[in-house]
Amino acid sequence: MTPKPTSPTAIELLQSQSLTTLVQHEIERQIMAGTLTPGTKLNEIEVAGRLGVSRGPVREAFRALEEAGLLRTEKNRGVFVRVISLEEAEEIYALRGVLDEYVARTLAESITSEQLIRLRESVEAMHHAVEAGDSEAYYQLNLAFHDTLVSMVGNRKLMDTYRRLVKELSLFRHEALTGDSSAPPKSEREHRDIVSAIASRDPERAAQVTRDHLVRGRTRIREMLARAPGAAAQAKAG
């Protein structure tokens, strides 16, 4: 008698899901770090070979990252790292600004001494990165600083929404901080101002300082695009 095909065991399913998660996190890390730049084509076989996994987890990771807004699939062409257009980046910035101002107001009313210490330590780490001229380290610390602010609010839905926006925006703004040596020092001072405003316990001041920081950040990106016609063309191509 021919044995009936067996269903995947719980362990097999867990292993598959774990591999998919690991592959997803690694591809996402490379995108956020700028190793995989917008427009890069991803080959399923090549990624599987490089990461030492089968094609199944890679395929599932691609699907998850497409749902997360980091990859796109083009029929008969393949899978690519998404290119965010200037128009879409502006929309993301506008929405992120609303969330950031809410976070600043909320923390100005509720932040603890321990949380303020964490924020000041984060800003000091940024300062060290600026002094070392390490723009890539600064970029990652910048992301971590804002992520910490949002996490301190304690709203899981807010956190999920914010992280998605930031990941999508990273496809557009990475070059603005890593490609311009004058950007990190300016950005660092603005982060110090945000912490000071939150520490003042004045919600409106905290919101205003945060708003100013975002406006300047958008200005730096526009200036970067103006200096790099190729980048501007890519941004419009999204």
Side-chain angles (χ1 to χ4, degrees), residues 23-58:
V23 172
Q24 179 181 339
H25 287 173
E26 176 57 19
I27 296 172
E28 182 178 300
R29 183 194 67 77
Q30 292 182 27
I31 292 173
M32 297 292 285
T35 305
L36 291 174
T37 56
T40 299
K41 184 175 182 178
L42 299 181
N43 182 283
E44 189 178 290
I45 297 175
E46 188 276 329
V47 172
R50 178 160 47 83
L51 298 181
V53 299
S54 63
R55 295 173 62 181
V58 174

Side-chain angles (χ1 to χ4, degrees), residues 103-146:
V103 168
R105 283 195 181 94
T106 301
L107 292 182
E109 296 174 341
S110 64
I111 198 161
T112 66
S113 298
E114 292 76 14
Q115 289 174 328
L116 276 173
I117 289 172
R118 284 180 60 196
L119 292 179
R120 286 169 176 146
E121 289 174 345
S122 180
V123 172
E124 281 305 309
M126 290 186 199
H127 178 68
H128 293 317
V130 169
E131 286 192 324
D134 192 340
S135 58
E136 182 59 44
Y138 183 85
Y139 178 75
Q140 298 302 326
L141 288 166
N142 177 40
L143 292 178
F145 174 84
H146 287 284

Side-chain angles (χ1 to χ4, degrees), residues 157-205:
K157 289 296 183 182
L158 170 65
M159 186 86 260
D160 291 345
T161 302
Y162 187 85
R163 283 178 174 170
R164 180 185 175 106
L165 292 175
V166 168
K167 287 173 183 177
E168 288 185 299
L169 198 55
S170 72
L171 295 169
F172 188 87
R173 68 189 291 265
H174 185 271
E175 281 298 315
L177 279 177
T178 60
D180 181 358
S181 60
S182 68
K186 297 173 185 176
S187 177
E188 181 212 337
R189 289 192 294 272
E190 292 164 18
H191 286 95
R192 288 187 183 277
D193 291 341
I194 290 173
V195 175
S196 295
I198 290 173
S200 74
R201 309 284 180 178
D202 183 339
E204 289 309 312
R205 179 189 168 201

Side-chain angles (χ1 to χ4, degrees), residues 11-110:
I11 292 178
E12 288 171 337
L13 287 173
L14 180 60
Q15 288 174 334
S16 175
Q17 291 169 358
S18 297
L19 278 176
T20 297
T21 300
L22 289 172
V23 172
Q24 179 181 339
H25 287 173
E26 176 57 19
I27 296 172
E28 182 178 300
R29 183 194 67 77
Q30 292 182 27
I31 292 173
M32 297 292 285
T35 305
L36 291 174
T37 56
T40 299
K41 184 175 182 178
L42 299 181
N43 182 283
E44 189 178 290
I45 297 175
E46 188 276 329
V47 172
R50 178 160 47 83
L51 298 181
V53 299
S54 63
R55 295 173 62 181
V58 174
R59 191 176 305 115
E60 291 302 315
F62 282 179
R63 288 174 185 159
L65 289 167
E66 184 170 14
E67 290 179 3
L70 295 180
L71 299 181
R72 76 176 190 280
T73 299
E74 294 187 10
K75 189 175 181 180
N76 299 325
R77 290 197 64 212
V79 178
F80 298 81
V81 178
R82 277 188 66 204
V83 175
I84 298 293
S85 68
L86 177 58
E87 180 181 4
E88 185 175 1
E90 292 283 1
E91 292 175 350
I92 296 172
Y93 252 114
L95 181 53
R96 181 194 156 182
V98 173
L99 299 183
D100 276 326
E101 287 185 43
Y102 169 78
V103 168
R105 283 195 181 94
T106 301
L107 292 182
E109 296 174 341
S110 64

